[in-house]
Amino acid sequence: MPNIKSSAKRDQLAKARYAKNKANKSALKTSIKKFHTAVAEGNKDAAVSTYKVAVRAIDKAAGKNLIHKNNAANKKSKMTLKLNAME
């Protein structure tokens, strides 16, 4: 437990940021997983709609520095290839 007031505040802020980042990253993973399940089922309409949601989530995560921009580009590229292979 910190003795100094400012370091106690820093600790509190760090915990709040950690919780927020963890929730955002979890939502990102969920949206990506929904896309992959739609592709696995072979449902083209569901895959297209979940693809749009997932790409938006990936872009937001990269903008918030939750994931690196190259990691985001890699994820989007692989998802696009999977979606195009469905046709």
Side-chain angles (χ1 to χ4, degrees):
M1 189 70 195
N3 293 327
I4 299 167
K5 196 175 196 179
S6 62
S7 93
K9 288 179 183 177
R10 285 274 126 219
D11 189 41
Q12 192 176 15
L13 285 173
K15 286 178 183 173
R17 275 195 306 271
Y18 174 78
K20 195 180 206 180
N21 287 338
K22 189 166 183 166
N24 286 337
K25 214 163 191 181
S26 176
L28 170 68
K29 289 178 184 179
T30 302
S31 66
I32 292 171
K33 196 177 286 187
K34 283 181 182 176
F35 168 75
H36 288 300
T37 55
V39 169
E41 290 171 356
N43 190 345
K44 178 78 171 169
D45 295 332
V48 169
S49 64
T50 55
Y51 171 80
K52 290 177 183 176
V53 172
V55 166
R56 182 171 161 83
I58 290 170
D59 286 335
K60 278 187 172 185
K64 294 177 183 178
N65 291 323
L66 289 176
I67 59 173
H68 194 271
K69 63 178 184 173
N70 291 348
N71 187 352
N74 191 0
K75 286 183 190 301
K76 290 193 300 186
S77 174
K78 294 227 164 129
M79 288 171 55
T80 305
L81 288 173
K82 270 192 170 184
L83 186 67
N84 290 341
M86 287 184 75
E87 298 171 334

